[in-house]
Amino acid sequence: MNRNYKSEYKNYHSKPKQKKNRAGRNTARRIMKKKLGNSILGKDIDHKDRNPRNNNKSNLRVRSKSFNRSRNK
């Protein structure tokens, strides 16, 4: 069965809360790139408290994609 990306966006990703969460994750990535440069390429930025809107520097850390994505399930 193929994924229906248009439907996923319509029903989940387009919601205001999800847009704010995505903006928070993008902001975190920009903060860490400014701090660490290109050493974050191929890595994820992890929010220690799992709140994507909390972008305090003490709450952010660089993790491998596999570690970060398995942790957040």
Side-chain angles (χ1 to χ4, degrees):
M1 178 186 229
N2 293 331
R3 287 176 67 178
N4 185 340
Y5 292 101
K6 187 181 266 189
S7 175
E8 282 183 35
Y9 183 82
K10 179 181 162 194
N11 295 321
Y12 181 75
H13 298 291
S14 67
K15 304 294 182 207
K17 180 180 177 184
Q18 295 311 316
K19 285 183 176 182
K20 288 179 182 178
N21 287 343
R22 184 169 56 247
R25 289 188 295 271
N26 290 338
T27 300
R29 187 144 192 95
R30 281 193 301 274
I31 289 169
M32 293 304 279
K33 184 166 183 177
K34 189 180 222 182
K35 181 179 176 183
L36 301 173
N38 287 331
S39 65
I40 66 168
L41 293 176
K43 306 264 182 171
D44 278 356
I45 305 304
D46 180 34
H47 291 84
K48 293 177 185 177
D49 65 359
R50 298 185 183 188
N51 178 1
R53 296 186 198 174
N54 180 1
N55 287 322
N56 293 327
K57 290 182 182 181
S58 62
N59 187 45
L60 301 175
R61 60 186 171 191
V62 177
R63 293 285 185 214
S64 69
K65 287 181 181 182
S66 61
F67 178 85
N68 190 45
R69 294 176 190 188
S70 67
R71 177 182 172 266
N72 291 326
K73 286 185 178 178

